[in-house]
Amino acid sequence: MLGISQTNSANVSLLNNFEILATSLIALLIFKEVISRRLWLAIILVTIASIILSFNGSEAFVFNHGSLLVLGACICWGFENKSTKMLSNKSSEEIVIIKGCCSGTGSLLIALFIGEQLPQPYWIAAILLLGFVAYGMSINFYILAQKDLGAAKTSAYYSIAPFLGVAFSLLLLGEQPSYLFYIGLVLILISTYFMVMDTIELQHTHLHTHIHTHAHRHGNLLHTPPLNHQHSHQHIHNGNADVHSHRHEELSGSHNHLHFT
């Protein structure tokens, strides 16, 4: 808010797109999250597309103290996105409730402190409905997505939101976007393709474990010293045959072992 007060709104819209890169760099450099080349390409494309959408002439961009404050806010949001990813294995509903209550109460107290007045009851009802959809459901879906996609990729997907906003304004309000929207839309479609392909590839190459049992006999059942040996066997997993060898110590008989593939 301090940044907005010291620069123009078009400049803020342009700089807000830095949140995508901030989230990705924080995830990579500090939290060591793996980001593939394909995902980096998608992140760069979606950032360029967002800048094109929010571009309002060369005179709109002014780098000043307000710009630094806006970039600082984007970095804070990047840490918030990654911190939320670290909590994403918890209940998404609980996270949304806690975040919503704390941030909403804090904003309300600040507004009352600086002398703002509460709106009319019908506006309060409308705002509550908007908040339920745009913040409550949105953050809940965002957290659920982070469980599988990670902070960087979820942020990249999330950055498509401004284009959906323009699309809704076109369909519901009859507004006509400029040619820049269609240029950005092409870039968004390309970046989305790379993100989807990267997600599919990740799902096919993830590490998984399973336990299987097989029985075999080596020599005399009364043989007491442990037998050190190596053997190969075949088993079927997801319709694919896997033949491998492994070494283990055992007494003769049946056994279970954990196998990574």
Side-chain angles (χ1 to χ4, degrees):
M1 297 303 295
L2 289 173
I4 290 175
S5 66
Q6 298 181 33
T7 187
N8 59 70
S9 59
N11 189 38
V12 173
S13 296
L14 283 171
L15 293 174
N16 273 343
N17 298 304
F18 183 69
E19 179 188 352
I20 311 168
L21 289 177
T23 301
S24 302
L25 290 174
I26 290 170
L28 172 66
L29 299 177
I30 298 179
F31 296 95
K32 308 304 180 183
E33 183 174 310
V34 178
I35 301 178
S36 66
R37 293 182 179 179
R38 183 180 291 167
L39 181 55
W40 270 121
L41 179 58
I43 290 171
I44 293 173
L45 287 175
V46 76
T47 302
I48 294 174
S50 299
I51 291 175
I52 291 175
L53 179 65
S54 54
F55 186 71
N56 194 23
S58 58
E59 68 280 358
F61 180 72
V62 180
F63 197 80
N64 52 22
H65 290 92
S67 300
L68 293 176
L69 291 172
V70 174
L71 291 176
C74 291
I75 294 174
C76 291
W77 289 332
F79 276 107
E80 191 276 337
N81 290 335
K82 184 56 187 177
S83 298
T84 301
K85 168 62 177 73
M86 298 172 69
L87 296 172
S88 61
N89 62 327
K90 307 296 183 181
S91 169
S92 59
E93 290 80 7
E94 290 182 4
I95 297 174
V96 171
I97 291 172
I98 294 173
K99 289 178 66 174
C101 290
C102 292
S103 61
T105 302
S107 299
L108 177 61
L109 292 176
I110 293 173
L112 294 175
F113 179 77
I114 63 177
E116 292 191 10
Q117 301 296 320
L118 291 175
Q120 296 296 322
Y122 59 87
W123 281 116
I124 294 178
I127 293 169
L128 288 174
L129 178 60
L130 176 62
F132 173 77
V133 176
Y135 288 90
M137 294 180 62
S138 172
I139 297 176
N140 187 45
F141 291 153
Y142 189 92
I143 295 171
L144 292 175
Q146 284 191 327
K147 291 183 179 181
D148 298 322
L149 300 179
K153 186 176 293 185
T154 304
S155 180
Y157 274 116
Y158 197 77
S159 63
I160 299 174
F163 286 85
L164 296 178
V166 175
F168 282 131
S169 69
L170 175 65
L171 297 174
L172 302 179
L173 304 178
E175 296 181 357
Q176 294 298 322
S178 68
Y179 69 94
L180 292 177
F181 167 76
Y182 297 101
I183 295 176
L185 181 62
V186 172
L187 294 177
I188 281 290
L189 293 175
I190 296 174
S191 67
T192 302
Y193 168 78
F194 285 125
M195 285 186 283
V196 171
M197 294 304 297
D198 188 74
T199 303
I200 293 175
E201 181 178 334
L202 179 65
Q203 290 175 345
H204 279 82
T205 58
H206 72 283
L207 180 68
H208 63 277
T209 66
H210 62 275
I211 297 176
H212 64 271
T213 303
H214 65 275
H216 58 278
R217 178 178 297 177
H218 296 277
N220 192 338
L221 287 175
L222 299 178
H223 187 72
T224 55
L227 297 174
N228 300 316
H229 66 280
Q230 177 172 309
H231 68 275
S232 64
H233 65 278
Q234 174 177 306
H235 61 90
I236 306 297
H237 180 70
N238 291 336
N240 297 315
D242 177 25
V243 181
H244 63 276
S245 300
H246 62 99
R247 179 180 298 276
H248 56 93
E249 290 187 1
E250 57 149 337
L251 291 174
S252 298
S254 300
H255 68 279
N256 298 331
H257 66 87
L258 185 64
H259 169 65
F260 294 84
T261 180

